Amino acid sequence: NAGVTQTPKFQVLKTGQSMTLQCAQDMNHNSMYWYRQDPGMGLRLIYYSASEGTTDKGEVPNGYNVSRLNKREFSLRLESAAPSQTSVYFCASSDLRRTDTQYFGPGTRLTVL
Amino acid sequence: TQLLEQSPQFLSIQEGENLTVYCNSSSVFSSLQWYRQEPGEGPVLLVTVVTGGEVKKLKRLTFQFGDARKDSSLHITAAQPGDTGLYLCAGDPKSGGSNYKLTFGKGTLLTVNP
């Protein structure tokens, strides 16, 4: 099992460009999450999907959209990237019955110039 | 917003030393998790503690959940360079493990020098 996979691993964008970060899990988990990690700020939840067909805002949703494509895949879209969105983005998944136990992907390092 | 305060923020020690890192809150958590994150990688779950006073051991790592379920500690015995990394605690403020919004601490960056 690959666990949680993310693509791309690195990305550089110019201000105003758009992109989609992809995430997939093969653990048959119902719930999936997108976090960003910034120095001194810890992990902050952007959006989550409790189950297929549902998505909800987390702590810092502004400037992002998500799509739960199917049970395996959860994508994060930046419609018009801003330098403040320079960060490391992590996708995670969990079983619906134990959402306190989350499994993380390797991350995407995004730089917005 | 329930906060988790981790201390110390940075810790640099020599191989073979013992250390303890702390995760504290004024709020009660139904469970608490510890993760380790290596440079360029995502956090990896080490342990989940759910019962007040619970102690779990993972080889040289000992995790304790406070009696009041407001705090936790991670003790490493005879640290090795392979223990180097960012240690994160995270808490679930709701009972039943069905809350989707974990609270994360900012982490303790541990460096173990050979």
Side-chain angles (χ1 to χ4, degrees), chain A residues 31-49:
Chain A
S31 305
M32 299 184 73
Y33 313 81
W34 276 105
Y35 291 89
R36 60 178 290 173
Q37 186 175 37
D38 302 291
M41 299 296 291
L43 281 162
R44 293 183 291 171
L45 183 65
I46 304 171
Y47 270 93
Y48 66 96
S49 171

Side-chain angles (χ1 to χ4, degrees), chain A residues 9 31 33 35 37 40-43 45 48 50 57-58 90 96-107 109, chain B residues 9 30-31 33 35 37 39-45 48 50 86 88 92 96-102 104-106:
Chain A
K9 195 163 179 65
S31 305
Y33 313 81
Y35 291 89
Q37 186 175 37
M41 299 296 291
L43 281 162
L45 183 65
Y48 66 96
K57 295 178 181 179
F90 290 101
L96 186 63
R97 294 162 296 179
R98 291 305 308 193
T99 57
D100 57 348
T101 302
Q102 298 184 8
Y103 298 88
F104 285 79
R109 292 184 174 274
Chain B
Q9 189 176 358
S30 64
S31 69
Q33 296 74 41
Y35 292 84
Q37 183 178 17
E41 302 293 331
V44 175
L45 180 67
T48 296
V50 296
L86 179 68
L88 295 161
D92 180 357
S98 61
N99 179 47
Y100 303 97
K101 297 182 182 180
L102 290 183
F104 277 86
K106 295 181 180 180

Side-chain angles (χ1 to χ4, degrees), chain B residues 35-64:
Chain B
Y35 292 84
R36 180 170 66 210
Q37 183 178 17
E38 298 186 16
E41 302 293 331
V44 175
L45 180 67
L46 296 174
V47 76
T48 296
V49 286
V50 296
T51 305
E54 182 177 4
V55 176
K56 280 191 174 180
K57 292 192 175 183
L58 186 66
K59 297 183 179 178
R60 294 177 293 99
L61 279 61
T62 301
F63 304 87
Q64 185 162 9

